[in-house]
Amino acid sequence: MSAMTAPTPLEKKPVKFSNLLRRALRKNGSETILADRKCLNIVGASLNMFEVTTLGQPLEVVKTTMAANRGDSFAGALSRVWGRGGVLGFYQGLIPWAWIEASTKGAVLLFVASEAEFYAKRAGASDFVGGISGGIVGGVAQAYATMGFCTCMKTVEITQHKIAASGVKPPSTWATFMGIYRKEGIRGINKGVNAVAIRQMTNWGSRFGLSRLAEQGIRNLTGKEEGARLSAPEKILASALGGGLSAWNQPIEVIRVEMQSKTVDPNRPKNLTVGKTLKYIYQSNGLKGLYRGVTPRIGLGVWQTVCMVGLGDIAKEAVEKITGDKVTAKH
Protein backbone atom coordinates (compact mmCIF):
# COMPACT_ATOMS: atom_id res chain seq x y z
CA MET A 1 0.00 0.00 0.00
CA SER A 2 1.56 3.28 -1.03
CA ALA A 3 2.07 5.99 1.55
CA MET A 4 -0.46 8.82 1.53
CA THR A 5 0.81 12.03 -0.01
CA ALA A 6 0.91 14.94 2.46
CA PRO A 7 -1.34 17.87 1.48
CA THR A 8 0.43 20.76 -0.17
CA PRO A 9 0.83 23.58 2.39
CA LEU A 10 -0.90 26.85 1.61
CA GLU A 11 1.67 29.31 0.27
CA LYS A 12 1.40 33.06 0.13
CA LYS A 13 2.36 34.15 -3.34
CA PRO A 14 3.20 37.71 -4.33
CA VAL A 15 0.00 39.65 -4.93
CA LYS A 16 -0.27 40.31 -8.64
CA PHE A 17 -1.94 43.15 -10.45
CA SER A 18 -4.51 40.75 -11.88
CA ASN A 19 -5.82 40.34 -8.34
CA LEU A 20 -5.62 44.00 -7.40
CA LEU A 21 -5.88 45.82 -10.70
CA ARG A 22 -2.22 46.66 -10.20
CA ARG A 23 -0.71 45.64 -13.52
CA ALA A 24 1.82 47.90 -15.18
CA LEU A 25 0.69 51.26 -16.47
CA ARG A 26 2.20 51.67 -19.91
CA LYS A 27 2.68 55.07 -21.49
CA ASN A 28 4.95 55.92 -24.41
CA GLY A 29 6.79 52.65 -23.96
CA SER A 30 7.63 53.27 -20.30
CA GLU A 31 6.24 50.98 -17.61
CA THR A 32 5.25 52.10 -14.15
CA ILE A 33 4.32 49.36 -11.72
CA LEU A 34 2.18 50.37 -8.77
CA ALA A 35 2.88 48.80 -5.41
CA ASP A 36 0.71 45.78 -4.54
CA ARG A 37 -0.81 47.28 -1.44
CA LYS A 38 -1.56 50.61 -3.08
CA CYS A 39 -3.46 48.86 -5.85
CA LEU A 40 -5.46 46.71 -3.48
CA ASN A 41 -6.43 49.99 -1.84
CA ILE A 42 -7.47 51.37 -5.24
CA VAL A 43 -9.70 48.36 -5.91
CA GLY A 44 -11.37 48.56 -2.51
CA ALA A 45 -11.84 52.32 -2.64
CA SER A 46 -13.28 52.21 -6.17
CA LEU A 47 -15.79 49.48 -5.32
CA ASN A 48 -16.89 51.27 -2.16
CA MET A 49 -17.26 54.60 -3.97
CA PHE A 50 -19.45 52.89 -6.56
CA GLU A 51 -21.52 51.21 -3.86
CA VAL A 52 -22.23 54.34 -1.82
CA THR A 53 -22.88 56.65 -4.78
CA THR A 54 -25.47 54.33 -6.34
CA LEU A 55 -27.84 52.58 -3.92
CA GLY A 56 -25.71 52.69 -0.79
CA GLN A 57 -26.34 56.22 0.48
CA PRO A 58 -30.13 56.27 -0.14
CA LEU A 59 -30.49 53.00 1.80
CA GLU A 60 -28.18 54.34 4.51
CA VAL A 61 -30.27 57.50 4.88
CA VAL A 62 -33.57 55.59 5.14
CA LYS A 63 -32.06 53.07 7.57
CA THR A 64 -30.61 55.82 9.79
CA THR A 65 -33.86 57.81 9.66
CA MET A 66 -35.86 54.78 10.86
CA ALA A 67 -33.30 54.01 13.59
CA ALA A 68 -33.40 57.62 14.84
CA ASN A 69 -37.21 57.96 14.52
CA ARG A 70 -38.25 54.60 15.87
CA GLY A 71 -41.96 55.35 15.54
CA ASP A 72 -41.71 55.65 11.76
CA SER A 73 -42.76 52.90 9.39
CA PHE A 74 -40.74 52.24 6.24
CA ALA A 75 -43.21 54.32 4.21
CA GLY A 76 -43.12 57.03 6.85
CA ALA A 77 -39.34 57.17 6.71
CA LEU A 78 -39.41 57.47 2.92
CA SER A 79 -41.86 60.35 3.22
CA ARG A 80 -39.74 62.04 5.89
CA VAL A 81 -36.58 61.79 3.77
CA TRP A 82 -38.38 63.03 0.65
CA GLY A 83 -39.62 66.03 2.63
CA ARG A 84 -36.01 67.02 3.37
CA GLY A 85 -35.26 67.75 -0.27
CA GLY A 86 -36.84 65.29 -2.66
CA VAL A 87 -34.36 62.99 -4.37
CA LEU A 88 -31.42 64.92 -2.90
CA GLY A 89 -32.72 64.12 0.57
CA PHE A 90 -31.76 60.50 -0.02
CA TYR A 91 -28.16 61.57 -0.65
CA GLN A 92 -27.81 63.70 2.48
CA GLY A 93 -24.35 63.20 3.96
CA LEU A 94 -22.90 61.80 0.73
CA ILE A 95 -20.52 64.72 0.20
CA PRO A 96 -18.05 64.88 1.83
CA TRP A 97 -18.51 62.35 4.63
CA ALA A 98 -19.76 59.27 2.79
CA TRP A 99 -17.22 59.76 -0.01
CA ILE A 100 -14.37 60.21 2.49
CA GLU A 101 -15.51 57.13 4.37
CA ALA A 102 -16.03 55.01 1.25
CA SER A 103 -12.67 55.89 -0.31
CA THR A 104 -10.83 54.85 2.85
CA LYS A 105 -12.82 52.04 4.46
CA GLY A 106 -13.04 49.98 1.26
CA ALA A 107 -9.28 50.10 0.89
CA VAL A 108 -8.74 49.05 4.50
CA LEU A 109 -11.31 46.25 4.29
CA LEU A 110 -9.97 44.47 1.20
CA PHE A 111 -6.34 44.70 2.27
CA VAL A 112 -6.76 43.69 5.94
CA ALA A 113 -9.47 41.08 5.29
CA SER A 114 -7.41 39.38 2.57
CA GLU A 115 -4.40 39.13 4.88
CA ALA A 116 -6.44 37.80 7.81
CA GLU A 117 -8.31 35.31 5.60
CA PHE A 118 -5.03 34.01 4.18
CA TYR A 119 -3.45 33.39 7.59
CA ALA A 120 -6.63 31.76 8.90
CA LYS A 121 -6.69 29.35 5.97
CA ARG A 122 -2.98 28.63 6.32
CA ALA A 123 -3.67 27.68 9.93
CA GLY A 124 -6.18 25.11 8.65
CA ALA A 125 -9.46 27.07 8.66
CA SER A 126 -12.21 26.27 6.16
CA ASP A 127 -13.44 28.81 3.62
CA PHE A 128 -16.34 29.63 5.96
CA VAL A 129 -14.17 30.18 9.05
CA GLY A 130 -11.49 31.95 6.99
CA GLY A 131 -14.10 34.29 5.57
CA ILE A 132 -15.46 35.10 9.02
CA SER A 133 -11.95 35.72 10.36
CA GLY A 134 -11.04 38.03 7.50
CA GLY A 135 -14.31 39.93 7.79
CA ILE A 136 -14.02 40.43 11.55
CA VAL A 137 -10.44 41.71 11.43
CA GLY A 138 -11.14 43.87 8.37
CA GLY A 139 -14.28 45.31 9.97
CA VAL A 140 -12.53 46.29 13.19
CA ALA A 141 -9.69 47.87 11.23
CA GLN A 142 -12.25 49.85 9.18
CA ALA A 143 -13.99 51.22 12.24
CA TYR A 144 -10.99 52.45 14.19
CA ALA A 145 -8.84 53.51 11.24
CA THR A 146 -11.29 55.41 9.05
CA MET A 147 -14.98 55.21 9.93
CA GLY A 148 -15.49 56.80 13.34
CA PHE A 149 -15.71 60.48 12.52
CA CYS A 150 -17.26 59.99 9.05
CA THR A 151 -20.07 57.81 10.38
CA CYS A 152 -20.66 60.25 13.21
CA MET A 153 -20.87 63.26 10.88
CA LYS A 154 -23.18 61.45 8.42
CA THR A 155 -25.54 60.63 11.28
CA VAL A 156 -25.39 64.22 12.57
CA GLU A 157 -26.37 65.54 9.14
CA ILE A 158 -29.21 63.06 8.72
CA THR A 159 -30.64 63.58 12.21
CA GLN A 160 -30.20 67.33 12.68
CA HIS A 161 -33.36 68.00 10.66
CA LYS A 162 -34.99 67.83 14.08
CA ILE A 163 -33.28 71.13 14.83
CA ALA A 164 -34.87 72.65 11.73
CA ALA A 165 -38.27 71.34 12.83
CA SER A 166 -38.04 73.58 15.90
CA GLY A 167 -37.68 76.67 13.69
CA VAL A 168 -33.89 77.02 14.00
CA LYS A 169 -31.74 76.90 10.88
CA PRO A 170 -29.24 74.05 11.26
CA PRO A 171 -25.55 74.94 10.82
CA SER A 172 -23.62 73.92 7.72
CA THR A 173 -21.67 70.66 7.50
CA TRP A 174 -18.30 72.17 8.35
CA ALA A 175 -19.75 74.48 11.00
CA THR A 176 -21.26 71.42 12.67
CA PHE A 177 -17.97 69.55 12.45
CA MET A 178 -15.95 72.40 13.95
CA GLY A 179 -18.56 72.99 16.63
CA ILE A 180 -18.35 69.38 17.81
CA TYR A 181 -14.54 69.44 17.61
CA ARG A 182 -14.22 72.65 19.67
CA LYS A 183 -16.67 71.39 22.29
CA GLU A 184 -15.69 67.73 22.57
CA GLY A 185 -12.44 67.32 20.65
CA ILE A 186 -11.45 64.08 18.89
CA ARG A 187 -13.63 62.06 21.24
CA GLY A 188 -16.70 64.04 20.16
CA ILE A 189 -16.27 63.49 16.42
CA ASN A 190 -15.56 59.81 17.04
CA LYS A 191 -18.59 59.36 19.29
CA GLY A 192 -20.02 55.88 18.96
CA VAL A 193 -16.88 54.42 17.39
CA ASN A 194 -16.99 51.37 19.68
CA ALA A 195 -20.52 50.62 18.46
CA VAL A 196 -19.27 51.11 14.90
CA ALA A 197 -16.46 48.61 15.55
CA ILE A 198 -18.90 46.01 16.92
CA ARG A 199 -21.19 46.59 13.95
CA GLN A 200 -18.39 46.31 11.38
CA MET A 201 -16.80 43.19 12.82
CA THR A 202 -20.17 41.41 12.94
CA ASN A 203 -21.17 42.88 9.55
CA TRP A 204 -18.18 41.74 7.55
CA GLY A 205 -17.56 38.59 9.58
CA SER A 206 -21.11 37.54 8.68
CA ARG A 207 -20.97 38.81 5.09
CA PHE A 208 -17.68 37.17 4.14
CA GLY A 209 -18.38 33.98 6.07
CA LEU A 210 -21.98 33.50 4.92
CA SER A 211 -21.05 34.41 1.33
CA ARG A 212 -18.33 31.73 1.31
CA LEU A 213 -20.80 29.25 2.81
CA ALA A 214 -23.38 30.15 0.16
CA GLU A 215 -20.75 29.73 -2.57
CA GLN A 216 -20.03 26.21 -1.37
CA GLY A 217 -23.74 25.45 -1.25
CA ILE A 218 -24.11 26.62 -4.86
CA ARG A 219 -21.20 24.38 -5.87
CA ASN A 220 -22.89 21.40 -4.20
CA LEU A 221 -26.22 22.13 -5.91
CA THR A 222 -24.62 22.54 -9.34
CA GLY A 223 -22.28 19.57 -9.02
CA LYS A 224 -19.08 21.63 -9.05
CA GLU A 225 -15.93 20.56 -7.23
CA GLU A 226 -14.82 22.30 -4.06
CA GLY A 227 -13.01 25.51 -4.95
CA ALA A 228 -14.33 25.52 -8.52
CA ARG A 229 -14.93 28.94 -10.06
CA LEU A 230 -18.49 30.24 -9.94
CA SER A 231 -20.18 32.16 -12.73
CA ALA A 232 -20.89 35.87 -12.24
CA PRO A 233 -24.62 35.31 -11.46
CA GLU A 234 -23.70 32.57 -8.96
CA LYS A 235 -21.12 34.81 -7.29
CA ILE A 236 -23.61 37.68 -7.02
CA LEU A 237 -26.31 35.34 -5.66
CA ALA A 238 -23.95 34.05 -2.96
CA SER A 239 -22.98 37.60 -2.01
CA ALA A 240 -26.63 38.70 -1.88
CA LEU A 241 -27.51 35.82 0.45
CA GLY A 242 -24.55 36.58 2.72
CA GLY A 243 -25.35 40.28 2.79
CA GLY A 244 -29.06 39.85 3.50
CA LEU A 245 -28.54 37.37 6.33
CA SER A 246 -25.94 39.62 7.96
CA ALA A 247 -28.68 42.06 9.06
CA TRP A 248 -29.19 39.96 12.22
CA ASN A 249 -27.07 42.54 14.08
CA GLN A 250 -29.47 45.45 13.50
CA PRO A 251 -29.70 46.25 17.27
CA ILE A 252 -26.03 47.24 17.17
CA GLU A 253 -26.76 49.63 14.30
CA VAL A 254 -29.72 51.21 16.14
CA ILE A 255 -27.48 51.70 19.20
CA ARG A 256 -24.81 53.31 17.00
CA VAL A 257 -27.30 55.74 15.45
CA GLU A 258 -28.69 56.74 18.84
CA MET A 259 -25.20 57.37 20.24
CA GLN A 260 -24.31 59.63 17.31
CA SER A 261 -27.65 61.38 16.73
CA LYS A 262 -28.40 64.99 17.71
CA THR A 263 -31.77 64.09 19.19
CA VAL A 264 -32.72 66.20 22.20
CA ASP A 265 -34.50 64.07 24.80
CA PRO A 266 -34.49 64.90 28.53
CA ASN A 267 -34.89 61.20 29.30
CA ARG A 268 -31.79 60.21 27.36
CA PRO A 269 -28.74 59.54 29.58
CA LYS A 270 -25.71 61.75 29.19
CA ASN A 271 -22.31 60.31 28.24
CA LEU A 272 -23.87 57.38 26.42
CA THR A 273 -22.08 54.06 26.31
CA VAL A 274 -23.16 51.01 24.33
CA GLY A 275 -24.75 49.51 27.44
CA LYS A 276 -26.57 52.71 28.48
CA THR A 277 -27.87 53.24 24.96
CA LEU A 278 -29.17 49.67 24.74
CA LYS A 279 -31.04 50.13 28.02
CA TYR A 280 -32.46 53.52 26.94
CA ILE A 281 -33.76 52.22 23.59
CA TYR A 282 -35.25 49.09 25.15
CA GLN A 283 -37.02 51.11 27.86
CA SER A 284 -38.31 53.64 25.31
CA ASN A 285 -39.33 51.38 22.43
CA GLY A 286 -39.00 47.79 23.57
CA LEU A 287 -37.43 44.96 21.58
CA LYS A 288 -39.11 46.18 18.39
CA GLY A 289 -37.23 49.49 18.67
CA LEU A 290 -33.92 47.66 18.42
CA TYR A 291 -34.90 46.36 14.97
CA ARG A 292 -36.16 49.61 13.46
CA GLY A 293 -34.71 50.07 9.99
CA VAL A 294 -33.97 46.39 9.42
CA THR A 295 -35.74 46.38 6.00
CA PRO A 296 -33.47 48.99 4.34
CA ARG A 297 -30.58 47.46 6.28
CA ILE A 298 -31.13 44.13 4.53
CA GLY A 299 -31.13 45.92 1.18
CA LEU A 300 -27.97 47.80 2.12
CA GLY A 301 -26.27 44.62 3.30
CA VAL A 302 -27.09 42.84 0.04
CA TRP A 303 -25.81 45.73 -2.08
CA GLN A 304 -22.61 46.26 -0.07
CA THR A 305 -21.75 42.57 -0.11
CA VAL A 306 -22.46 42.20 -3.82
CA CYS A 307 -20.10 45.13 -4.45
CA MET A 308 -17.29 44.28 -2.04
CA VAL A 309 -17.34 40.46 -2.19
CA GLY A 310 -19.02 39.45 -5.46
CA LEU A 311 -17.92 42.26 -7.77
CA GLY A 312 -14.51 42.33 -6.09
CA ASP A 313 -13.83 38.73 -7.12
CA ILE A 314 -15.36 39.27 -10.56
CA ALA A 315 -13.19 42.36 -11.19
CA LYS A 316 -10.03 40.43 -10.34
CA GLU A 317 -11.00 37.56 -12.62
CA ALA A 318 -11.77 39.95 -15.47
CA VAL A 319 -8.34 41.56 -15.23
CA GLU A 320 -6.74 38.12 -15.07
CA LYS A 321 -8.17 37.39 -18.53
CA ILE A 322 -6.79 40.69 -19.85
CA THR A 323 -3.32 40.38 -18.34
CA GLY A 324 -2.84 36.61 -18.41
CA ASP A 325 -1.77 36.58 -14.75
CA LYS A 326 -3.14 33.91 -12.44
CA VAL A 327 -5.33 35.05 -9.57
CA THR A 328 -3.51 34.03 -6.41
CA ALA A 329 -6.07 34.99 -3.76
CA LYS A 330 -9.78 35.59 -3.43
CA HIS A 331 -11.43 37.86 -0.93
Side-chain angles (χ1 to χ4, degrees):
M1 182 175 178
S2 59
M4 293 182 64
T5 305
T8 305
L10 183 64
E11 296 181 2
K12 186 174 183 181
K13 301 178 182 179
V15 184
K16 297 182 180 180
F17 177 69
S18 56
N19 298 343
L20 314 176
L21 304 184
R22 174 189 69 79
R23 197 59 180 167
L25 298 177
R26 294 177 174 84
K27 185 177 181 181
N28 298 328
S30 63
E31 180 175 82
T32 304
I33 300 179
L34 301 179
D36 290 340
R37 286 187 174 90
K38 287 182 179 179
C39 292
L40 180 52
N41 292 347
I42 291 171
V43 174
S46 300
L47 288 171
N48 233 149
M49 286 288 285
F50 168 76
E51 174 269 317
V52 75
T53 307
T54 50
L55 296 178
Q57 190 63 11
L59 289 168
E60 176 75 25
V61 169
V62 175
K63 175 200 70 176
T64 302
T65 299
M66 291 185 71
N69 302 276
R70 289 182 290 277
D72 283 2
S73 64
F74 182 60
L78 291 175
S79 178
R80 185 187 293 271
V81 174
W82 183 267
R84 295 204 295 260
V87 174
L88 294 180
F90 290 92
Y91 286 90
Q92 193 170 13
L94 177 66
I95 302 172
W97 308 117
W99 275 3
I100 294 173
E101 179 183 281
S103 61
T104 52
K105 75 174 184 177
V108 171
L109 175 69
L110 281 192
F111 173 67
V112 176
S114 65
E115 291 292 302
E117 186 172 358
F118 166 78
Y119 284 110
K121 288 183 178 180
R122 192 170 73 171
S126 64
D127 285 349
F128 175 59
V129 175
I132 289 177
S133 302
I136 288 175
V137 177
V140 170
Q142 271 190 328
Y144 288 111
T146 69
M147 289 186 66
F149 81 95
C150 288
T151 304
C152 181
M153 292 309 301
K154 283 195 303 179
T155 304
V156 166
E157 282 208 19
I158 294 168
T159 60
Q160 71 176 0
H161 70 278
K162 296 182 179 181
I163 299 174
S166 65
V168 179
K169 183 180 179 180
S172 67
T173 296
W174 291 108
T176 302
F177 177 84
M178 292 308 300
I180 295 173
Y181 181 75
R182 291 190 190 99
K183 184 178 179 180
E184 304 177 62
I186 294 295
R187 181 185 291 268
I189 60 176
N190 278 282
K191 188 179 294 182
V193 70
N194 291 333
V196 173
I198 296 170
R199 184 194 71 177
Q200 290 305 104
M201 67 182 288
T202 52
N203 269 0
W204 289 109
S206 298
R207 290 170 182 174
F208 273 84
L210 292 172
S211 294
R212 298 308 184 214
L213 190 63
E215 287 174 8
Q216 190 55 46
I218 290 171
R219 290 188 184 97
N220 293 338
L221 288 173
T222 56
K224 293 181 179 179
E225 296 180 358
E226 183 175 352
R229 180 175 295 180
L230 299 180
S231 67
E234 290 171 337
K235 177 69 71 173
I236 291 172
L237 174 61
S239 299
L241 290 171
L245 293 172
S246 70
W248 64 268
N249 66 351
Q250 178 64 10
I252 300 169
E253 172 64 1
V254 176
I255 290 169
R256 191 274 304 172
V257 170
E258 186 61 43
M259 291 181 72
Q260 295 178 337
S261 76
K262 301 299 285 184
T263 303
V264 177
D265 183 351
N267 297 319
R268 190 168 79 159
K270 295 182 179 179
N271 302 319
L272 287 174
T273 63
V274 173
K276 287 181 180 179
T277 308
L278 172 62
K279 183 178 179 182
Y280 165 69
I281 295 171
Y282 183 76
Q283 290 176 342
S284 301
N285 304 98
L287 184 63
K288 188 177 180 180
L290 290 167
Y291 282 90
R292 298 308 295 168
V294 71
T295 301
R297 176 78 189 289
I298 290 172
L300 181 62
V302 168
W303 184 236
Q304 288 181 333
T305 312
V306 166
C307 289
M308 298 307 294
V309 181
L311 296 185
D313 285 347
I314 290 170
K316 288 178 285 185
E317 290 172 3
V319 177
E320 174 188 331
K321 292 179 181 179
I322 296 172
T323 62
D325 285 340
K326 179 70 176 175
V327 176
T328 57
K330 295 287 181 67
H331 310 299

